[in-house]
Amino acid sequence: ILPQMEPPNKLFCPRWNPLTDWFSEHYHVHLALTTDIMLTPQPEQTISTIRSHLLKQHPWTLPAYHHSTTSLKSLVISMAMLDGGLSAEEAIACAYLESDYQMDRWGEVEWGHTIDKARQSADVAAAVLLVNEIRSLDGGRLQAWS
């Protein structure tokens, strides 16, 4: 018999709502949110604003944005982490909400989930270190896109 569990969206909201609110306020954009599995188109103004923000970054930081987005499976989580809205630990916790829910319901794959989380932690730490180091060295000396 499966344990009675809250629907995932009710469990995710306490973590996701503050994140999406921060993202919307920080970047002055509107995120089109959904609980559906299908891709939800974002407003063109949101896409344009985020594109502009990324193009203003030092070019050496862009691989870190890409790598952390791929690892966390979310541009929103990655940008919030790299731009000061979340710690690396909070970012990983947000990225693992669905997996944690599934593990609570069905159980953990022995070693599999632990290895995945360790790899993700290393990937995220590398991205944060790279971006922070470049920003600390930049100080106006390194040129962004020209």
Side-chain angles (χ1 to χ4, degrees):
I1 295 176
L2 291 176
Q4 289 296 323
M5 297 181 72
E6 295 244 10
N9 58 336
K10 285 188 178 184
L11 297 172
F12 298 173
C13 285
R15 175 101 45 192
W16 270 104
N17 289 349
L19 171 61
T20 55
D21 290 347
W22 179 91
F23 191 91
S24 294
E25 291 170 19
H26 185 77
Y27 299 109
H28 308 287
V29 298
H30 170 74
L31 287 174
L33 305 175
T34 184
T35 57
D36 195 358
I37 193 168
M38 300 304 291
L39 180 64
T40 302
Q42 295 299 318
E44 187 54 44
Q45 184 270 338
T46 298
I47 294 168
S48 176
T49 300
I50 298 305
R51 180 182 295 122
S52 177
H53 172 77
L54 291 171
L55 288 173
K56 289 177 186 171
Q57 301 306 304
H58 190 281
W60 295 349
T61 65
L62 294 180
Y65 277 88
H66 171 75
H67 194 67
S68 62
T69 298
T70 302
S71 181
L72 295 167
K73 298 174 182 66
S74 169
L75 179 64
V76 170
I77 296 172
S78 176
M79 289 182 68
M81 177 187 69
L82 294 174
D83 293 338
L86 289 175
S87 69
E89 292 82 7
E90 291 169 324
I92 291 167
C94 283
Y96 256 79
L97 284 173
E98 175 66 22
S99 291
D100 289 343
Y101 175 81
Q102 295 298 335
M103 283 188 286
D104 286 347
R105 183 167 179 98
W106 303 106
E108 188 171 349
V109 175
E110 192 172 344
W111 295 103
H113 289 106
T114 305
I115 291 170
D116 286 346
K117 205 167 204 176
R119 181 189 37 77
Q120 186 179 49
S121 295
D123 290 348
V124 165
V128 169
L129 288 171
L130 178 63
V131 169
N132 287 343
E133 185 63 20
I134 289 170
R135 287 179 179 160
S136 74
L137 294 173
D138 192 356
R141 296 179 309 236
L142 300 174
Q143 293 296 314
W145 299 106
S146 36

